[in-house]
Amino acid sequence: MNEVECVVIGAGVVGLATARALALAGYDVLVLERASTIGFETSSRNSEVIHGGLYYPPGSLKARCCVAGRERLYPYCREHGVPHAQIGKLIVAAEESEIVGIERIANTARANGVDDLQWLTASQAQRLEPALRCVAALLSPSTGIIDSHALMLAFQGEAEAAGAMVVLRTPVLSGRVRDDGFDLAIGGDEPTVIRCRCLVNATGLYAPALARSVNGIPRETIPPAYFRRGVYFSLTGPAPFRRLVYPVPPPGGLGVHITLDLGG
């Protein structure tokens, strides 16, 4: 029986950030990842946007974490050489009836502690982005973009320097709750059982299914999984914008929007 103080399942951005925090706090940490590399699944399928914290319900965990995380992420990137760019984002009203939607977003953002938003008239927005056509816009200057894989490598490097171990191709098959922690059945080339006191489920899209595979976790505490399908298009040739451009969000999503990567 192999024993370790803390096991983090999933070597995506959340798992590696958690492992880093635990290791820097002095805990013995093992990160288990079923894929052949870090950040291979959920963390490789995001827009790499550093969000300003505009949309989430005030007081919610997402709102608090987004704003606090963004304020800490830019300094972290500068200190650790993680490529990023604070390029800003425009939320635009394409017609007069959508201005009320932008006002609603601005009110939510202020309630979340976002205090740098700027209202723009159509002409002011067009001076920033000549290809843009709108009747009004809201500028979020603190929104940016980041190299998410470089961020994960920075987290991994700090975690391992503090004593954590990241093990790839090591799926967690099942587990059970003990009075003093957890037993985990591990697959891969060398199947084994690992006992830990602290368990962090950071498996992204698969977190509810993993939780259900651990005997003793109350089923009523496991949230359901909600699946959404995103459609992405890439633009060849020069980009028409220098900033991110978003519409007033329709029900159930953020609408069709333009994002840039660090290559422009």
Side-chain angles (χ1 to χ4, degrees):
M1 175 73 69
N2 299 299
E3 295 193 24
V4 64
E5 194 170 11
C6 298
V7 168
V8 177
I9 308 176
V13 66
V14 173
L16 292 170
T18 304
R20 167 189 174 273
L22 289 169
L24 290 175
Y27 292 97
D28 182 24
V29 182
L30 176 66
V31 182
L32 303 176
E33 170 56 56
R34 71 179 184 178
S36 58
T37 186
I38 66 169
F40 183 73
E41 299 194 33
T42 308
S43 292
S44 70
R45 290 160 174 82
N46 70 85
S47 60
E48 299 190 311
V49 173
I50 301 174
H51 288 287
L54 314 183
Y55 301 108
Y56 305 124
S60 67
L61 184 61
K62 277 189 175 184
R64 298 199 307 273
C65 287
C66 185
V67 175
R70 182 251 300 161
E71 291 173 348
R72 296 172 64 181
L73 188 53
Y74 283 118
Y76 184 89
C77 289
R78 291 192 293 269
E79 292 166 9
H80 294 83
V82 177
H84 68 288
Q86 190 172 334
I87 59 176
K89 164 174 140 178
L90 289 167
I91 304 173
V92 303
E95 52 191 44
E96 295 288 339
S97 62
E98 293 181 339
I99 292 178
V100 65
I102 296 184
E103 291 174 340
R104 190 160 48 243
I105 292 170
N107 291 335
T108 298
R110 279 193 293 271
N112 288 338
V114 181
D115 56 7
D116 61 351
L117 299 182
Q118 302 171 26
W119 275 98
L120 303 178
T121 63
S123 59
Q124 289 172 329
Q126 196 167 20
R127 279 197 291 271
L128 292 180
E129 297 290 354
L132 185 62
R133 299 292 182 270
C134 65
V135 298
L138 192 65
L139 173 64
S140 169
S142 57
T143 299
I145 53 178
I146 188 172
D147 183 335
S148 60
H149 196 74
L151 178 67
M152 287 186 279
L153 287 173
F155 286 160
Q156 180 184 8
E158 280 197 284
E160 291 179 336
M165 181 180 296
V166 178
V167 184
L168 305 173
R169 301 184 183 89
T170 309
V172 176
L173 305 178
S174 63
R176 69 183 182 94
V177 178
R178 296 170 44 86
D179 290 339
D180 57 350
F182 302 85
D183 285 345
L184 301 172
I186 308 302
D189 294 337
E190 299 181 13
T192 187
V193 175
I194 293 176
R195 179 168 293 173
C196 63
R197 185 174 63 82
C198 170
L199 176 64
V200 178
N201 178 356
T203 55
L205 189 64
Y206 309 99
L210 177 66
R212 286 193 295 271
S213 75
V214 179
N215 187 31
I217 293 181
R219 291 301 183 260
E220 66 272 13
T221 68
I222 301 173
Y226 295 96
F227 297 95
R228 294 293 184 93
R229 177 175 178 267
V231 180
Y232 291 80
F233 299 89
S234 61
L235 175 66
T236 57
F241 303 109
R242 294 178 299 165
R243 296 165 182 81
L244 311 181
V245 181
Y246 284 61
V248 175
L254 292 179
V256 178
H257 54 275
I258 294 285
T259 57
L260 302 174
D261 61 22
L262 287 165

